[in-house]
Amino acid sequence: MSFAERMLKIDRRIIFLVIGLCTLLPLLYPVGLPIKVSPEVRGVYEHIESLPERSVLFLSFDFDPASKPELHPQAIALLRHAFKKNLRVIAMTLWVSGTGLADQIMTQVAREMGKENGTDYVFLGWSPGNTAVIINLGQDLYKTFPSDYGGKPTKGLPVLDGVYSLKDITYLVGLGAGNPGVEAWYVFGKDKYRFEMGGGCTGVMAPGLYPLLRSGQINGLIGGLRGAAEYESLIDRKGTAVAGMDAQSATHAAIVLLVIMCNVFYVSLRSQQGRG
Amino acid sequence: MILLRRQLPLVITLVTGLGMAAQYYVPHPASEGLLTSVTKWLQIIGGFALVLGVTSLFHVHAVKIRRQEAGWGYSVVLYAGMLGTIAVGLWANGKESIDGVMTAFGWVYSYMMVPLQGTMFAILAFFIASAAYRSFRARSREAAVLLAAAVIVMMGRVPLGEYILPLSGDVSQWILNVLNASVRRAILIGVSLGAVALSLKIIFGVERSYLGGGKE
Amino acid sequence: MPFESIVGAWVATGLTLFIFSFLYKDNPVFKVAEHLYVGVSVGYTIVKTYDTVIVHLIWKPIVENHEWMLLIPVFIGLLMLTRYVPKASWLSRYAFAFIVGVGSGLAIPRTISSFILKQVEDTIRPLLTLVPGEGVSFTWNLLSPASGVNAIIILIGVCSVLFYFFFSVEHTGPGKAVARTGVFFLMIAFGAAFGYTVMARMSLLIGRLTDLIEFSDASYGRPTLWLLVVTIGLLIVLGRRAQREPPQES
Amino acid sequence: MERETYFVKRTRGTAGPFLKVMMVLAALVGLASPVPAQTVSLPPHELRVFDTPSDGGGSLTVVWPPAPHDSKEVRYQVLLSEGAEDGDPSHFKVVDEFSSNTHYVRDSKWPWWTRPAGPEQHHATIKNGKAVELKSGNTYAVALAVVAGEQRIFSSVVQAAPEPNWFNWNQLNNLLLVLGFGGIVFFAIGLAKKREMFLRRIPGLDAVDEAIGRSTELGKPILYLTGAHDMNDPSTIAAAVILGRVAKRAASYETELLVPHREPITMAVCQEITKQAYLEAGKPDLFKEDSNFFITTDQFSYTAAVDGIMLRKKPAANFFMGAYFAESLLLTETGASTGAIQIAGTDSDHQLPFFVTTCDYTLIGEELYAASAYLSREPVQVGTLRGQDIGKAVILGVLGLGTLLATAGVALDVQWPQLFLDVFKDVK
């Protein structure tokens, strides 16, 4: 067995250990490398920045705990920004298992920024029906959600003053981890009800949303933990995403190194076989 | 009976399908009212569909426990987890928090469901690393191109990469915005044509596999 | 620190480590956690469906606001559940016929407008730009998404990939060159997706480890450290036992 | 058109001197503020008010020709009287106000076939909303005012009633595309039922044969997975069709076939398919009921079990067809470490990068369906594929021609390419 062959056959648990350490060490001993902001993230930030006070921002938290590390910080950063700008926030989720997370995010940030439920924001909760919910919201918000998450009737809530359907909202940001997600909000929402919209998504979804970004169907995109970190640095409130960036750097470097090693061994192995 | 069991469902699909497609082009309030009602109905039916999806799992594990098949103990764990969650959930009226105070249901969610589901997917990070080392090989020119693009994007999307190779940020931005977007666009167009063709076949009864189940 | 948070930290840490034990190998501790996960999430879905659908979308509107029209979807929903009654299971077809019909009908025009027209519209861009006073010019800037050179690259990418998924002509002659171009475009896009997926998975790991680090704090009683020892111990004991018993084929 | 030219000429004729006077006046008073250096001449002419076409009612459209005073400083006000009386417009409610060099028809999104007026004209839409109440069926009086500094000049009052419409003409292109594409698909299916249709060779299928051949040489089994979805999913159906082909080859080469399942119904269907394949290969005696076997529905337990099979039995060829999720990487990585030839086919685009890097050959997205149609020759499948191909060909043509026309439009500074381009726009 040649050296290359032996190296390729090492127990994968050693690699597990390497990647575990690459994540753990930067988390324990952060370096704080600077983060550059991409135009995609800036798109969402600047649009929110341009909105007048009391504009209606609609946030849909379409993710579950599996994507919490990526989308939770995005949601927190967006909410902090919106509350700082004194926007009215309507939030909901299309993913049943995301209800608890969405509720936590809303209560936590609202408490921290001193915002009042019903006046400054409302959390509508979850509803089944996926895309049908989006259309129904575009037709009549009060029919889709007769009551909010806490069971209070939505009709007459001060935060919903002048809002009858998706046609009346100023900006929508869908935070999606899959389907239904950002695309569904475009196809079944914006396509007909014509509001401005931006998106946030997991790293896995992000490359697939670039055609929509180019065509202006969404005016900004926050992609994965990196996107969240960019947003955090834009609003100048460093949170978990910025804290995770060093570990992200280390793991990426490790993976790149592993891929290179793998291919070096592979090529040397092949040339040996070619000679033999 | 064939009429009732085979023909009529196809007629329902045809009528509802054509109706809802036509609705898109008709701005009249009557048509908008129809859309409001039908989507409201779908919302409620969606709840029943969810129950349907869940119950098959119910059944599979009940059988396992009854027959005491290999690993039935795990099925008991599953049942215990499910029944426990339901009991706690009903107790809390299905709310994770009431006026910002966490309920027992919220506790189960935050301290059991969130870490369990989160970790299930986090273990993939380790497997990617091991696969990166053992099997992401440039077997062909295509795979080599793929890996090269992947390495650039991986470096360009983290601060360290941009620090070491300042160009990688711009290059990966260009890959995503131009090359990736064009491919995704072609795929999107192709898949959409497929989806429209499938929907049309369903409406006109050429494709019936969705009717599935149920004895004649 | 409230009591339930401390208990919660211990439970969460324990379950996290149990799942991570799969990295060593598939083992009963992992399986218990995995099944518990399925059970809890199914239970959660059931509770949420009950609360949202039965209480808030059906019971309250019908009983309190007398929206009798809502009995129609309830009826259709019940038809769906006849799937479990072998003799009446054909009735469920009506429900599926309705859902699938409506779903298809809603999707067709919206897909055409959002994914075909919009995408075609954006791909068709003039390759030249008219600068007032300067006349027509071609922009070479790769970094500007709207530049002429990028418009050409996108056009080539979209067309060659569409052609690659074209099954009515043999990929020979000039067709082969176009299809090859398409493959290379595809591979670059897959590479980008690969990079982003790696990023996403690593983020998940970072998220879990952040929690574990938080729970190793003394205020929680350091559950991470203690439970790590317990999990490793369990794995060793279970490993010993598996060695003593003859291996089973499953 | 004639009337418009006349109007333009006339306003030009009168605006000149008036403008000069105003400028002198402004200079005299010493106005250095952004108050208009020029001012309005005439009341806005030829105001047209009508129900906004292609909408659900509750909206009126106002159209009027441009004027030489159109500039940033001069503003237009759209005035509405809730009653129908033809009264004094100065008592009307201001429902919209904007600079007079904006709101041209050419800047709006109307395609050429629904454009209510020439591109150089002004337009405004009054909609039922918070500020105004517009009810379908009621008649309203509308007027226009030009505001320049202190000056406010009114147009004549025009009456109109909003009403709901039965067709959105802006979406005509969308409807035609649906009808056209639908027609093509059904025509192609009909044709495929009547005669054999050409489909190009799918290179991946050659790789499948090669892999089976190698397994036979090495005397090792073949592992075949059908994916995570159930039998209702097109990808699983395609996987089952391809399994038929693999099983037939395996039977004729007398190579062992292993098909672990995670869904009981799929297993039952695949058992039938395998049996049929062995019959067709003339080796029914070699068929083993338990070559298709059920493991578990749980994603990761299934993966661990299949990985175990790969490590123990060391199959020489692994096939991954159908839909996959995160488990794909765990499966293909173990397979690669055992040195097997691996062939994948999936429409799960998020897993494709991993299959491409860890497998020897990958059927990408639609190729999986094409391979299945190629093998089964089922008219509906083949016809649909052909229909989609025609759709793609049309889009390719539109992209090519459209880019040429759009470029020509810019280079020659002409408008006529829009006649073609508007048809392929999403205009609402």
Side-chain angles (χ1 to χ4, degrees):
Chain A
M1 206 185 265
S2 71
F3 174 70
E5 231 171 307
R6 247 178 324 183
M7 282 308 285
L8 278 174
K9 286 251 153 73
I10 61 166
D11 194 322
R12 65 178 178 190
R13 278 169 278 202
I14 294 172
I15 296 163
F16 292 168
L17 199 69
V18 170
I19 213 72
L21 288 176
C22 279
T23 324
L24 197 62
L25 293 177
L27 283 175
L28 292 172
Y29 310 103
V31 188
L33 288 166
I35 297 161
K36 237 166 80 182
V37 180
S38 60
E40 295 93 302
V41 176
R42 205 176 277 280
V44 177
Y45 172 81
E46 274 171 5
H47 193 85
I48 293 187
E49 197 60 23
S50 73
L51 297 177
E53 277 195 16
R54 299 297 285 171
S55 305
V56 183
L57 174 70
F58 196 106
L59 281 175
S60 190
F61 300 124
D62 307 321
F63 59 92
D64 58 4
S67 316
K68 181 185 164 196
E70 291 181 272
L71 289 167
H72 190 270
Q74 290 186 11
I76 301 259
L78 272 169
L79 262 180
R80 281 185 179 151
H81 189 200
F83 282 150
K84 201 172 85 190
K85 294 282 303 174
N86 278 326
L87 305 182
R88 291 185 274 164
V89 177
I90 307 175
M92 62 164 288
T93 172
L94 291 170
W95 286 35
V96 58
S97 44
T99 326
L101 273 178
D103 173 47
Q104 259 171 35
I105 295 166
M106 290 306 290
T107 345
Q108 181 202 323
V109 181
R111 194 176 296 162
E112 166 195 315
M113 312 277 290
K115 296 289 174 179
E116 208 174 307
N117 189 0
T119 324
D120 302 308
Y121 74 96
V122 59
F123 176 52
L124 300 172
W126 163 79
S127 168
N130 294 339
T131 52
V133 178
I134 301 177
I135 300 182
N136 206 230
L137 276 169
Q139 299 290 110
D140 186 345
L141 187 139
Y142 300 100
K143 269 212 163 113
T144 327
F145 287 100
S147 51
D148 72 352
Y149 172 78
K152 253 186 286 174
T154 40
K155 247 186 199 138
L157 283 182
V159 60
L160 293 176
D161 180 40
V163 179
Y164 305 98
S165 71
L166 288 184
K167 286 175 202 142
D168 308 308
I169 63 170
T170 332
Y171 193 46
L172 181 143
V173 181
L175 296 177
N179 192 19
V182 181
E183 284 176 343
W185 279 103
Y186 182 85
V187 178
F188 296 93
K190 185 181 171 183
D191 175 65
K192 177 163 177 181
Y193 307 108
R194 312 268 110 189
F195 41 79
E196 193 48 73
M197 96 173 249
C201 62
T202 57
V204 179
M205 307 299 297
L209 289 171
Y210 273 82
L212 275 75
L213 190 68
R214 275 199 74 86
S215 55
Q217 286 167 289
I218 51 175
N219 73 352
L221 180 68
I222 312 173
L225 189 67
R226 160 73 192 228
E230 290 175 29
Y231 211 96
E232 282 178 1
S233 49
L234 274 174
I235 60 166
D236 221 10
R237 284 282 308 254
K238 308 263 183 316
T240 48
V242 168
M245 270 305 111
D246 285 334
Q248 193 90 50
S249 291
T251 49
H252 280 210
I255 298 278
V256 168
L257 220 60
L258 288 172
V259 169
I260 292 172
M261 276 165 73
C262 166
N263 282 286
V264 167
F265 293 140
Y266 174 63
V267 170
S268 77
L269 209 63
R270 239 188 10 188
S271 61
Q272 271 172 22
Q273 279 164 356
R275 265 180 272 131
Chain B
M1 281 310 258
I2 294 226
L3 178 82
L4 277 182
R5 292 183 182 197
R6 271 220 164 270
Q7 261 38 4
L8 198 56
L10 293 179
V11 173
I12 292 176
T13 310
L14 180 75
V15 172
T16 51
L18 286 183
M20 294 324 289
Q23 191 285 323
Y24 187 75
Y25 306 99
V26 182
H28 199 275
S31 128
E32 290 293 301
L34 177 79
L35 181 66
T36 313
S37 302
V38 169
T39 47
K40 174 80 210 177
W41 296 355
L42 279 189
Q43 200 187 349
I44 292 175
I45 298 170
F48 284 89
L50 217 56
V51 173
L52 197 74
V54 158
T55 39
S56 74
L57 206 80
F58 237 66
H59 183 70
V60 169
H61 287 277
V63 170
K64 248 189 176 176
I65 295 174
R66 205 167 341 112
R67 296 200 192 138
Q68 305 215 334
E69 281 174 27
W72 65 276
Y74 300 123
S75 300
V76 174
V77 172
L78 189 149
Y79 256 77
M82 182 172 68
L83 295 177
T85 311
I86 293 178
V88 180
L90 294 181
W91 175 262
N93 279 327
K95 300 275 178 276
E96 290 87 346
S97 74
I98 292 171
D99 297 327
V101 181
M102 190 193 276
T103 62
F105 186 51
W107 187 91
V108 169
Y109 180 82
S110 307
Y111 293 113
M112 293 179 80
M113 198 160 140
V114 172
L116 277 168
Q117 204 183 10
T119 317
M120 282 304 268
F121 288 85
I123 54 176
L124 291 167
F126 291 100
F127 288 108
I128 283 203
S130 114
Y133 180 64
R134 303 205 306 177
S135 39
F136 291 158
R137 300 172 183 172
R139 283 157 216 275
S140 57
R141 220 175 298 162
E142 286 90 350
V145 171
L146 192 160
L147 284 174
V151 166
I152 295 171
V153 171
M154 271 190 271
M155 291 314 284
R157 297 305 289 159
V158 285
L160 181 67
E162 284 170 299
Y163 185 74
I164 300 173
L165 303 164
L167 205 61
S168 66
D170 285 341
V171 175
S172 66
Q173 195 71 27
W174 181 71
I175 290 181
L176 281 164
N177 253 316
V178 179
L179 302 181
N180 164 67
S182 71
V183 173
R184 293 294 185 146
R185 177 166 288 170
I187 292 177
L188 200 57
I189 292 173
V191 168
S192 303
L193 284 177
V196 172
L198 181 68
S199 299
L200 286 168
K201 283 195 290 177
I202 285 176
I203 290 178
F204 288 100
V206 179
E207 175 68 55
R208 307 169 180 187
S209 61
Y210 66 92
L211 287 175
K215 284 189 203 121
E216 285 292 312
Chain C
M1 184 75 52
F3 178 67
E4 70 261 24
S5 297
I6 294 177
V7 179
W10 280 79
V11 171
T13 310
L15 294 175
T16 305
L17 291 173
F18 282 6
I19 300 254
F20 273 140
S21 75
F22 183 75
L23 293 173
Y24 178 66
K25 65 180 193 190
D26 194 15
N27 66 78
V29 175
F30 166 75
K31 279 194 180 146
V32 166
E34 191 196 21
H35 282 79
L36 191 64
Y37 155 54
V38 178
V40 170
S41 41
V42 168
Y44 184 82
T45 308
I46 292 176
V47 171
K48 277 281 155 200
T49 312
Y50 166 78
D51 177 55
T52 311
V53 182
I54 311 278
V55 177
H56 288 281
L57 292 178
I58 299 179
W59 186 259
K60 282 191 178 169
I62 294 181
V63 175
E64 289 172 13
N65 301 335
H66 308 292
E67 293 180 31
W68 301 112
M69 282 291 274
L70 292 184
L71 286 175
I72 301 174
V74 173
F75 174 72
I76 298 175
L78 289 174
L79 278 185
M80 199 145 85
L81 297 183
T82 59
R83 224 170 215 205
Y84 291 111
V85 189
K87 272 201 176 152
S89 69
W90 59 275
L91 281 170
S92 69
R93 288 182 166 188
Y94 291 145
F96 288 110
F98 178 81
I99 301 171
V100 172
V102 173
S104 308
L106 288 176
I108 292 171
R110 288 172 173 82
T111 310
I112 295 255
S113 104
S114 320
F115 290 155
I116 296 182
L117 286 176
K118 268 280 177 198
Q119 295 302 322
V120 168
E121 177 186 334
D122 188 63
T123 312
I124 302 179
R125 288 192 182 201
L127 303 178
L128 304 169
T129 36
L130 190 67
V131 187
E134 284 175 40
V136 179
S137 72
F138 183 81
T139 40
W140 286 100
N141 185 0
L142 278 174
L143 286 178
S144 149
S147 68
V149 61
N150 280 339
I152 292 184
I153 295 174
I154 289 193
L155 187 70
I156 294 174
V158 173
C159 291
S160 60
V161 174
L162 267 179
F163 183 78
Y164 179 77
F165 292 113
F166 200 74
F167 300 101
S168 304
V169 289
E170 206 71 69
H171 286 173
T172 47
K176 192 173 177 187
V178 179
R180 291 292 289 172
T181 315
V183 170
F184 279 104
F185 266 96
L186 268 172
M187 290 303 142
I188 292 173
F190 286 163
F194 185 108
Y196 257 81
T197 310
V198 169
M199 177 166 116
R201 304 293 187 227
M202 295 304 152
S203 309
L204 297 189
L205 179 61
I206 292 168
R208 290 318 303 145
L209 290 191
T210 309
D211 278 7
L212 285 185
I213 291 173
E214 193 199 328
F215 292 153
S216 65
D217 196 72
S219 58
Y220 292 99
R222 301 194 189 282
T224 307
L225 303 181
W226 292 115
L227 290 170
L228 189 64
V229 176
V230 171
T231 314
I232 293 173
L234 268 172
L235 284 178
I236 293 171
V237 171
L238 287 166
R240 287 252 174 90
R241 254 182 47 189
Q243 268 175 9
R244 256 182 276 133
E245 282 166 25
Q248 304 174 334
E249 291 275 315
S250 63
Chain D
M1 280 310 279
E2 216 177 313
R3 277 165 57 102
E4 276 159 23
T5 13
Y6 164 69
F7 171 76
V8 172
K9 269 187 200 147
R10 201 169 55 141
T11 45
R12 268 195 200 130
T14 48
F18 195 68
L19 201 112
K20 275 180 200 153
V21 173
M22 282 307 290
M23 278 162 78
V24 171
L25 273 177
L28 276 177
V29 197
L31 288 178
S33 64
V35 161
Q38 53 164 283
T39 189
V40 289
S41 47
L42 279 173
H45 262 247
E46 292 172 51
L47 183 73
R48 284 201 292 142
V49 184
F50 46 87
D51 163 50
T52 305
S54 306
D55 74 346
S59 168
L60 291 172
T61 297
V62 190
V63 174
W64 66 100
H69 61 242
D70 284 0
S71 67
K72 206 176 147 204
E73 288 80 18
V74 180
R75 304 180 68 77
Y76 281 124
Q77 288 180 335
V78 181
L79 310 170
L80 179 95
S81 157
E82 308 242 325
E85 79 279 5
D86 202 336
D88 178 7
S90 59
H91 298 142
F92 285 14
K93 192 174 173 186
V94 179
V95 288
D96 203 355
E97 189 175 347
F98 44 86
S99 294
S100 59
N101 62 348
T102 60
H103 283 63
Y104 291 107
V105 170
R106 62 166 174 270
D107 303 328
S108 71
K109 288 190 87 186
W110 283 305
W112 52 265
W113 62 90
T114 56
R115 213 168 249 179
E120 76 291 345
Q121 302 231 342
H122 284 288
H123 77 96
T125 309
I126 317 170
K127 263 193 191 142
N128 185 25
K130 234 180 162 182
V132 234
E133 203 189 0
L134 276 185
K135 277 195 185 138
S136 299
N138 292 2
T139 308
Y140 296 87
V142 178
L144 197 68
V146 190
V147 186
E150 297 291 295
Q151 227 182 344
R152 194 164 179 235
I153 302 173
F154 298 99
S155 71
S156 51
V157 174
V158 182
Q159 290 193 352
E163 52 194 38
N165 308 108
W166 287 100
F167 189 76
N168 186 346
W169 289 98
N170 295 320
Q171 292 172 337
L172 184 68
N173 57 344
N174 185 315
L175 179 64
L176 290 178
L177 272 180
V178 173
L179 295 177
F181 180 61
I184 289 170
V185 168
F186 289 114
F187 175 72
I189 292 176
L191 215 61
K193 279 183 180 159
K194 270 183 240 149
R195 60 181 173 83
E196 188 89 334
M197 224 171 225
F198 172 79
L199 276 185
R200 79 172 158 86
R201 216 170 38 88
I202 313 287
L205 291 175
D206 299 343
V208 168
D209 291 346
E210 242 172 70
I212 300 171
R214 209 182 90 153
S215 281
T216 316
E217 275 169 34
L218 295 174
K220 284 181 176 170
I222 297 166
L223 183 75
Y224 192 102
L225 309 185
T226 55
H229 283 161
D230 60 10
M231 229 36 229
N232 292 326
D233 193 82
S235 61
T236 315
I237 297 173
V241 169
I242 299 170
L243 171 66
R245 155 86 160 223
V246 170
K248 199 166 156 188
R249 281 291 154 108
S252 54
Y253 293 160
E254 304 188 5
T255 302
E256 191 187 354
L257 178 68
L258 300 167
V259 194
H261 285 279
R262 53 199 285 187
E263 219 263 325
I265 298 172
T266 316
M267 181 184 77
V269 174
C270 288
Q271 234 156 18
E272 276 313 303
I273 290 173
T274 316
K275 199 174 185 175
Q276 185 63 32
Y278 274 76
L279 260 173
E280 281 172 21
K283 305 266 173 72
D285 47 312
L286 284 180
F287 171 70
K288 276 188 268 168
E289 193 80 20
D290 60 357
S291 61
N292 281 274
F293 52 98
F294 176 76
I295 295 184
T296 169
T297 50
D298 305 320
Q299 185 185 16
F300 286 102
S301 300
Y302 172 84
T303 311
V306 174
D307 280 353
I309 294 172
M310 286 183 190
L311 291 173
R312 266 182 279 119
K313 302 210 166 173
K314 297 224 173 353
N318 298 336
F319 295 95
F320 309 98
M321 301 286 171
Y324 291 86
F325 294 94
E327 72 276 9
S328 68
L329 192 63
L330 281 71
L331 292 167
T332 53
E333 193 221 340
T334 313
S337 73
T338 63
I341 290 193
Q342 307 202 87
I343 296 174
T346 186
D347 59 349
S348 314
D349 54 353
H350 41 281
Q351 299 303 329
L352 273 167
F354 299 119
F355 280 121
V356 172
T357 39
T358 52
C359 293
D360 298 277
Y361 201 93
T362 310
L363 292 167
I364 299 164
E366 283 172 275
E367 276 188 304
L368 174 68
Y369 305 130
S372 138
Y374 184 85
L375 292 177
S376 71
R377 293 276 153 199
E378 218 245 310
V380 174
Q381 273 195 46
V382 177
T384 311
L385 213 58
R386 172 58 57 88
Q388 278 167 240
D389 266 6
I390 300 175
K392 279 176 208 159
V394 170
I395 289 178
L396 279 174
V398 168
L399 289 178
L401 189 62
T403 308
L404 283 181
L405 286 177
T407 310
V410 170
L412 309 173
D413 198 14
V414 285
Q415 287 302 314
W416 55 263
Q418 290 302 327
L419 290 181
F420 176 79
L421 298 178
D422 273 2
V423 180
F424 297 96
K425 273 189 177 158
D426 170 45
V427 272
K428 276 192 271 288

